[in-house]
Structures are given as C-alpha cells and as structure tokens.
Amino acid sequence: MSADRIVDAIPDHESDTPHPMSPRDILSTKVTSQNNTTQAVVGTPSRVTINVKDPRLRAPPLIPPKHGGEKFDELESYKDELANSSEPEPSNKLVSLSPHMISPPSSPSRSPEIEVAEVEDMNQEPGNTRWRPLSDIADPVKIRDDLWTIFPCRAPSQNVLEAADELARRFHQGPVEDGILFRKLAQWIRRYLSSTEPYSGEWFDVYVDEHVFWIHFIAIINALCKRCSHRATASLSLPLRPNDDGEGREAFEYLLASFTALTFRMVEIDCQTFEKWRCDNNTQPELVSFGYLEWLCLTLSTNKSTLWRNMQTVYDYNATPAISLILEEVCRPWFDGLDLLSRLLRNMLHKAQSVGGIAEKTVVIFDIIHRTVDHYHLVRRGFTSAGSDAPLPRQHLLVKLYSFFQAVDSILQKFITKQVTVLTHDLCETIICQLAMTLQKITAASNELTSRALHEDLGLVQKFYPHNAAVIAEEAWKFRVFRKCFLEGRMEIRIQGVESMQHALVQIHRKYIQGTSIARQHPVVSFLCDFILNNKLIDYLVGVESHPRLIRLTGNIVGFLVVSQRYTEAESDRIWETVIKSRDSGVVGAILQMLPSIFNIAHFSQLLYLVTKLNGIPVSAWDSKMTAYADHLFKNTVTKWNELQQGRGMDKAPYQCCIRLIREASSCEPLAFSKRRQISMFASTSLETLLDVGPSDNDRLQIYEDCIGDIAARTSCATGSICVINILLRHDTEWDIGRLAKDFALADLVIAEFEQMISRMSQGLQDPRFFDESLNARLDLLQQIIMFSPDYINTERGWRLWDTLVGSKAPSHLARDSALIMLVNATMSLRKRNSFIDACISDYLPKLPPRFFTSNLLFFVTQVFQYGNFVEQIDADTEFSYSDRLGMDMLWRVALVAPAHTVECKAIETLITTYLDSPKTQGMPKAAMERMHVEVVERCVRQLATAASQLKAFTDGTSSGEDEPMVIVAPDEEVYLQRLSFSRSLLVLQELVHRIRSHPSYSPVPSVRSQQYTDIEEIDGNPTTIHYQPFSGGSSHSIKTIQVGDLEKVRDLMQRFAALTGFPNFTVIVGGHKVNREEFNGSTIRATRLHEKGLFLIKNMHGHESVSDLIPAGLMKPLEMEIMGHFSDFYRFLSLDESLARNVLEFLKAFPPDDYVISLVHSTNSPIEDVFPAGSPSKSLYSVYAFEQRLLALLQNGSPSQEFICHGIEMTAMALARSIDNGPSMGVDGELRATAGLVECLLKFLKGCILEASFHSAVFSKFFRDANQLQTILRKVLLCDPRRAIRVGAARSIRSICDHQRWAGDIQAVSFRRLMFCNSLETSQKHEFAWYLWNNISPLVPETLQFGHHAEEFCGVATTVLRSLDDTHRRNLHLAAYIEVWCDLLLKHHHDEVGIYRYTCGSAFDHFPVRGP
C-alpha cells in the first residue's frame, strides 16, 4: 500500500483527556474550560496499520426545525487550535485548477473508508490479512462527541448552537480576510463526513438526535451568501481582499466544496427518511436537504447570487472555478450526487401520491440540473475557444444528466399511464417543461447523446442536421409526452397535454414560421407536422368520441397545419365528419367554436371548401351556434376574396348556401316559427353582404332562373325564392327587373302566384303565423315590378292585382293596409309617370267600395299629390284648378262616403288643408285663391243639391199613371250614401268657413274704425277725452281718443266702444282693474271717475265666440258671400228630414239672416204660412232666428217700433197657438224644437221689447200690467204644457231677467245677446219687475199639485223670483199666510216618499219626488 494512501484517521491527543460527553449533552451543555476539551481518541492497539479504501457513499436521514444560537469569542483564540490540528491541508492542486476544467482532482481530505490490522500482518497476502473496519474498534458515539467538542471557533462557555450563530454572524459581516474561518469550517465538515461515513445505517437515527443543529447549520453558509458590498468599511465588504495571495480564495472554495458534500449527505438522509416512512401514508416526512439544495441551486447561478455579483464587481472574481469544484463534488463516484437527486425526486413523487405539499418542492432539483448543464456549456465554450484538441472535460457528467432525465421521464410516463392523482395539471406541466429543457441542453452539448435520444430512445429513423437535432429531440420527446397525456391521462392531464401542445406550436410558429416564406421547409416545422398527421392527432382531438373541452383547445394545433401549409381538404373532411355524425351538441358546438380561430390564417380556397360543407347541414339542425359559425365564415371568406383583389364574381358556394337556407326555411313546416325567422333573417343578411363581391353574371342569372322556376311551379319554396329575388334586385334593380319581366314574364307569374297564396290563406290552407312573412316578401317584389316595370301589368292583370291587394279579395284589413303601404312607398319613390299608379288613380280607386276606406288608403291618396308634382308641369303664371289635380276627386270621395267613425274627419281635414295650406295654394295670387274657394263652394252646393234631389225622389215616389201610385223604395245603402254625402258636403263647408275665419291670412284682425262717433249730437256735461287701445287676439292697435261728456252713462260709453271697435263682446280694463259693467251700468262717468284712471284697454273676447256666432253683413268675406249667394238652395234644404235640416239650419245661423227672410218677417202682409211654414220646423226656426236678429238690430239702434213689436208678438203667438192647438207631437223632434223656438222668440219680445219699453215708458208699463195676461201665460208655459223643452226654455228666460247674478243651476241661461237687454235695465226697475212677477206666480203655487210631473220648472222659477226680491218688497210679503197655505197643501197632498235627493237649486219642492194624486 502506497504511503500517500496511509493517513492518521484520528489525530493524537493528550493522554489525560477526560471521558467524552454524550452528543446530546454536548449540544446542550457549555464547556467550562478549554483545557477540558476532549478530542476523538480511538481506542486501538499500540501498533496498528491503517488501510484506506474508497467505498461508495450511501444514502442519508430527516429534517430538524431551526434554532437560535449565541455568540462566540474572537477569531484569534482559535488560531492555535487550527495550528495544532492534525487535519491535512488541502492540496494546492485543489485550488489551482485551470478555468477550463470542470472540476479539480479529488481532494485527499475526502473521508476514505478505514480498515485496521496488526503491523506484522501488513505484508501478508490480502486474503490472509486480518483487516477489520475501524468501526469495529472505534466507538461512533465517542467520535461524534469529539466532533462537537472541536466545532470551529467554539468558546469554552458556548454550546454548539451558540457557536454556529456567532459563526454565521461573522460570515455575514465580520472580518474573514485571512480565510482561517473558511478553512476550519471546511475541515470540520470533512472530518464529520469522514468520521460518520462508516455508520451509514445509523445516519437517520443520528439525524433525529442532531436535527436542531443541522437545520441551524444552514444559516452559516446562507449568511456568507448574503454578504454584500454595502457594509461600513472596505475590510468588511467581501470575504476576499483584492491583494489576497490566494490562500484565502483556496479556503473559500474549499468551504464551498465541503458544504456541497454535506448537502448530498443531507440528500441521502432524506432518502433514508422516505424509506423509513414508506408505509406511513398520512404523515408528511420532515426533509432536511431542501435548505441545502436551495443554497446549492443559488450558488450554481452566477446571475442570481448576490455573493458572485459582488465579487465580480469589486474584485473581478471569476466564479467558474469555484462552481467547477462544486460540480466535481457532485460527481464524486463514491456517492454520485446526480443519482442521489434522482432517488430523492423519485421518492418525493411517490410519496406525493399520499401526502400533499411535497411535489411542489421538486422544482429546486430541476433547477440544479439545469444550472449544472448551463455551467457545462459555459466551460465547454471556454474550452473550445482555447483551441485545444484535448477531449472535452467531464463527458461523463452529461451521461449522468441524461440518466437523470431518463429516470425522471420513466416516473412521469408511469404516472400518466396509471393516472396518478398527484400528477396535477400544474405539476405535470412543470415536470414536462423542466425535463424538456434538460433534454434540450444535454443534447445540445453532445451529438452522441442527441443521436442516442433520437434514434434509440425516441425511435426516429430520419437523419437531422446537428444544429437542428437537439431541438427536434426536445420537441419529439415533448410531443410524445403530450400525446400520451391526452391519450392515456386523466381528464385534467388530457387538457394539460392539449394546452401544452398548442402552446408549444405557437412558440414554434413564432420562432420558425412567422415572418418567413419558407416555413414548411424547416426541419422542425416539417417534423412536427408529420408527427401530427402520422399520429392522427386531429382525428382523435376532433373525433366523435372527443371531449368538448379538448376540441376547444385544438385551434392552434389545426392552425399550425394551416400556417405550415400542410392543412388539406382531408383534414376538413375529418373535422366536418364529426359535425355530421356526432349526436352530442356540446361536441358540435365546440368544433364550431374552434374552427373560426383558423379563419384569419386560412387561404380563400380552404374557407371556400368549408363553405361547401355547410350545404350538407339540414335546416332543422341549424341552431344559433351554427349561425355564428357561418357568419364568421362568410365574413372571412369575403375578406380573403378582397385580399386577392379580384373584384366581383366570387365563387357561388356561399350564395348557394344562403339561398338554400332562405328557401328551405320558408318551406320547412315542422320548424318552429321563431327558428325559421331567425335562419331566414341571418341568411338574408349574409346574402346581402356577399352580393358586394359577386356573384358572376352567369351565376346571378342561374339563381334568377331557379327562383322563377319555384314561382312558376308554385312550390313550397316559392316564398323563399321571392325573398332571394328581392335581395338580388336591391343591388341592380332597374336592369334586372326589366330583364326578368321581359325574358321570364315575371309580372304575370308573380301576380298569379300572389292570387293563389291569398286564395289559400282565405281558405285556411296556409299557416297564419307565416302569412305576414309570405305577404311582405311578395309585396316587396310587386313594389319593384310596379316601380320599374309597370308596362308589363296590363289592364286585366292590374284589375286582378288591385282586387287582391286592396279590393274584395284581400284576406284581411291588415293585409290591405300592408298593400296600401307598399303602394305608398312605390308612389313616394317615383320620379316619372307610372302607368299602374295612373290606373289606380283613374280606374281602381273610384270603384273601391267605401267599406275598404282606411287611414292607409287616405295616406296613399295624399301621396298621389306628391306624385302629381312630377307628372304635371304646371306654370306658376297660369291659373290653377284643384279640380283637375290628380287624386283630388278620390280625396273628395273618401271625405264624402267614408263610413262613420273611420277616416272621414281626417279626410275632410286633409281636403281643407290641401285647399288652404298647401305650398301651391300659399303661392297663389289672392284673386286666384278666392276663385278656388268659390269652386269649393260650388262643388259642395252641387253635391248637396244632388243628394237632396235623390233623397226627395226616394221619399216622394213615382206613379204608374193608370193604376194606384206605386212608390219605388230605394236600397238602404243608397239612401245611406246620399245622406252621408249631404252631411259631409255641409261639413266640408262648415270646416272651410271655420278655417278661413280662424286663419290669420284669410281673417285679419278687424281694423278699428277711424271715424269719430257722431251719433251723439251734443255732449252731456263737461267734455273730457278718453284714451283707449283695442286688442284682438295677439295683435293690438294704436291708441285712439274720443270726446265724451262726464254726465254720460257708463253704458253709453260701452256702446261707443262696441261701435268704434266692432267687437261684439269685449272686456274693459282701466287703471289696472276690470270694469264691472253691471255695477256701473246706470252710473255716470263723473260719478265713477273712470275718465281719471288713464288708458282704457278694450279686449276682444274671441274665446266666447263659436263658429256659429253671427258675423255682421258688412264684415263678410268673399267665401261667405258666395255661400249666402246660394241661400235659396240652402233654404230649400231646410225642408228635408229633420236631422239633415237641423244641420243646415245650424250652418245658416253662422251668417246674418238672408234679406228674403228678413223682409218676410218684417212685413206685416206676410202670411203666417210663409213665415212659419207648417210641416217645416227648420224653416220656422230660421224665421225665429230672423225675428231675433231683427229685434236685436232694432234695439241696438234705439227702441224698436211699436208696429214691429206688435207684428212679432202676433206672429209668434199665432204660431205658438197653432202648435198648441194641433197638439203635441212627441214623436217629432222638429216640432218640439220649433215650438220651443217660438216660445223663446215670444219671451224675447216680452223681455226685450215690452219689458224694456215698460222700463222706459210709464204709459207702456201701465198698459202691460193692465193687460193682466202674465198669469195666464205663466200657467200655460210653466205648468200646463206637457213638453219639457217648452217649460225649461220659459223658466230659463224668466231666470235671466230676475237673477242678475246668473243662476248657478243653469250655466247656459245667459248668452251675450240676452244679457245686452238685462244690462240696460236699472236695478230698481228689475226689483219692481220681480215684485210684479211674484204677485203673478204666488197665486199659481196651489195649482202645482194638479201638475205633479210638470211642476219642477215652475218651482225653480218661483224660488228664483222670491230670492231676487229686495228688502223693501220682502217686508211686504205675507209670510205667515204663505206658510199656512203651503203647509196645508203639503198635508193634503198624497205622494210616495222614495228618498231624499238634494239638488243644487234652492226650490223647496226639489227635495221630494212629487207624484200626482
């Protein structure tokens, strides 16, 4: 045995060394004296021979918790101990390695296995020599105790933990310039490893005792690694000085190597720990090595370690030799660190199946492997750059790394196959990523290993270029693992496999395909495409049996084939086969969601082929997902076509798909209505978008032929074909529709098919839910034909079409309205004459029955006017007649004969607006405008006369001549239409008059009379000037003045204002207050002092006027004069039946009485039959109206003549007597109205003439009272007359005289003209007249019991008269007598009390419903 292999295992010590303490005692007990420090002494014979061998290390045990420590003494106190130590120094060769070498030669300080024998046996043959292990003669406990005793830099008063803490503090920030501490700690670690190595079976138990220390121990090296350059002094900044002679660096590197050896001892201990706890699946083992492995991982990285960065920055230190030394320790053959790491990783993964939290710690192992390979590459590059021909250093390191890769790969493959639950998504992804990186770095460093991986392990037969082989090896291994994941793994791992594969393909695309034109020729790209296709990954991932989640992740895999130009129609067929065959809607939906991800990178031909696949999908299977997919496909197809810049004429496959959907959706009866509508709308919208790029002319013509064939054959797809034609026509309407109408007789075919569809609908053979869509489609096509090819609709077709659209064949009002809207839209779009619209105006509309008149028909008629602006060239200077305007006759017809409560009001409004407010009317000269108004009047009068003559003929009948006269009875409908025409014509006139009177341009504000009021010959009193300003509506006049006398009455001043302004009704405001005309009526101007209050504001009261208010003859407009010019006709119309005559009468009352009737009622020679014709109530009422107006005019001009008053009373009394004598005609409303009118007229004479005369003339008043006829008149009109209208009218007139505050129960009792009489009466005279009335009414009270049903009006009048008495007359009442008589009457009266009713009037009799005895 050579001398250099023989060393002293344990150094000699003094013979008086006391017995050593136990390891536990040493960790917990302080040593009091350094002289008492014990060292490891081996009890051996005096003469021994030591044989040093190199056995392989074994594996180690468990992890302890961390503990604190205490300080120790200064470094100088331990220099002697280091000098006396017998530990051999490391060889100079250990630290003088070339930077190009991976690791230096083995250190002799590494602990060998020691055997001992007798000296005399040392020369014997090995087989005969009695060699024994040192453990057979040494005590392991004493050895460990001695090691704790000689722990570096331990003070006598400290325990080991305190010493370790102080050592860590020194390493972090203490002085370490000479490297003694590094050397001592490294020697202690080496001694500990060598001393305990023979006892590998006890490592786990020893670690259990010492785990606190070893967890604490890692803080020493971590403190050194944390040492940075931000310390107080330069001497403390780093562990090495710039002028170091080399020994300090050697000690530092020696410490790193020793700590690496200790790290792998801890790894072996953890392996023993896993074996110890192999059967315990519930307990998580405590591992010690991970703190050491993290340090090792950080130390192997020159970029992430703060220590290396600072040393490089300050001292320009090269860490490569130190890391090489560390890696040399890793590869020591007697313990093989890489094998230990693979064992640890395997144990961790197996244990992770039952205990959580372990698998995540495997990352640090892979990091160590990666940094080992990275360092190998670094050294390799330095070795190659030196130009040496020597073999690369440490080639066996790559082999060991590859073995590590194979070991972990076998575990991963097994976990995937067995579907181990611990292999989660994240863990699997991490392991695959780390192993792939490891394999790539290994194969990049060795062509031999690359060939081995490709051809032996992966089984590839292709030959690859060296610069691509490593990448291909990595990708081949990864993709095989990915394939294994989604073929054999759990669902989570299958998803992870697909995700990782598509992510890897994205990276390959970015690296080798993006931005290059020769992508498919790259070996890596070609290999991966072959792998995907040869292994049929697409068939599996998007197959019928696949999972939707996997399919959704396949987009990038399919897309990789697309961008590498390896995607063919075969792949599309396989993908679409799943869509066709799969019964799982989730699978189909996933494919339809995945495929759009490749549309933006696919070629036009590939997209077009996918479009052809849509034609195989039945309409019933077309859902929202398919719609969204097709929408993306169509849009991307158009985009790709535009990128080719080939203009219009795209292939017809997309058009065929859309057309098929439209046609089949319209005919698929089992399909739900909402789904049919959704499909049809989508296909229609898509077809319109596609028409921007096609189709070609031949394809377009072929589409037209197919669709027209459906229409001609009247198939179930006809509606869809019509929709397709409509869409195509929107892009080239005029040319296409003309060609279709000419070459294919489209107009005839569509009209015939439309008639059949309407007929089927009327017969109930068509589903009404789809009728609206079918109708609208045909109406759209008919609109195009009407607008652009009307000449192909002949007369016979036009009548058929009109009758089906609007006439009697229309199935419903909604369908008719839809057709009219279509005609409106067509008419609005026309800019030239259209033969069909002309026929509608001239032929079809006039014959349309009135029952079909709707608002949409009126809308169509009004649009005809706009149409006429383009077909009629009217010179603005020539006269214009609305009678000749297109559509005017139809508008008149609608206004005259439209059924009640339909469109008649709107039609009349439109008619009047057309005549008055249309742009052409507003631009006409005034003379032409007046002539137009005259035409309207003449037309209305003609229509009235025609209708009146027809109605008279219907009621008079005809005679045969020889036999008895035979009355020809007209149909009720004809009679109704004539009556309707008469009423509507009169209504048009009324509305026309109303609009002209209210229209500012036709009815300007009456000008204020400028002439001075000259009716007063002399001024009464002192002259004074009154300033006034009239207001009418929104306009005002200038301020005017008049001269009056201050002794004149206020009522005289009001009459002057009425004469000067022409206002029939007005209010006066002066001094900020409204003048109460009733209060100041009899007072003088001086008494009221109104002339001192400033400006008089005269405001016309328009709001109190109605359309029927009388217009003075002098203010009549040309239109009104034209109407009254036809008075003879209107007077004749008053002889018609009551309802018509009443309307005529109301219309005539809007004008002043005609001169003929005025002369008739004014003449004393006029017979009563002419003034009040019997059997013509309306003419009688018009005569009453004439009497009233004549009386009013006479009163305004002064007191009427006695002759006229007597004549009026005589005529009305005779007519009233004739009516009473003839008896009541309760069934004839006209007679009742005529009688009531006569009573009104008579009372007006009494009130307005007799009473007025009696107020002003004492003689006339005496004559009136002496006649003593008032009581008789009151009895007849208030009690005896059975007609309630007569009683109510009489009671109303009496109340208007007696109640100057207007009786609250009858708001219509007082009008302006009646109040004019009352306002002229003196208050005292009113009270006298009320007293006169009471004296005539009170005797009639007992007679009310005889007319129980007629006494209501009488009682109301009696109450009003009684309340109107002033205090003077009330004192003259015999109230006691009244009460006695009335109470006696009530007691004698027999009646049934049915309840108490309270009315607003104050009559005592109103509280009880009185019945006759």
Side-chain angles (χ1 to χ4, degrees), residues 714-730:
R714 301 176 185 176
T715 64
S716 59
C717 298
T719 300
S721 296
I722 292 174
C723 292
V724 172
I725 293 177
N726 289 332
I727 296 172
L728 292 175
L729 288 177
R730 294 192 192 114

Side-chain angles (χ1 to χ4, degrees), residues 1013 1016 1018-1027 1042-1057 1068 1070 1075 1079-1094 1096:
Y1013 189 81
I1016 305 297
E1018 57 182 15
I1019 295 177
D1020 189 3
N1022 298 325
T1024 183
T1025 302
I1026 297 294
H1027 298 269
I1042 57 172
Q1043 292 290 329
V1044 298
D1046 59 358
L1047 293 180
E1048 293 181 11
K1049 302 292 186 182
V1050 174
R1051 68 167 177 267
D1052 297 332
L1053 180 61
M1054 297 298 119
Q1055 291 175 2
R1056 289 195 183 193
F1057 286 149
V1068 180
V1070 62
V1075 177
E1079 180 181 356
F1080 302 123
N1081 206 14
S1083 303
T1084 63
I1085 297 176
R1086 179 186 297 176
T1088 58
R1089 306 183 70 175
L1090 292 176
H1091 61 293
E1092 300 176 0
K1093 296 183 179 180
F1096 283 72

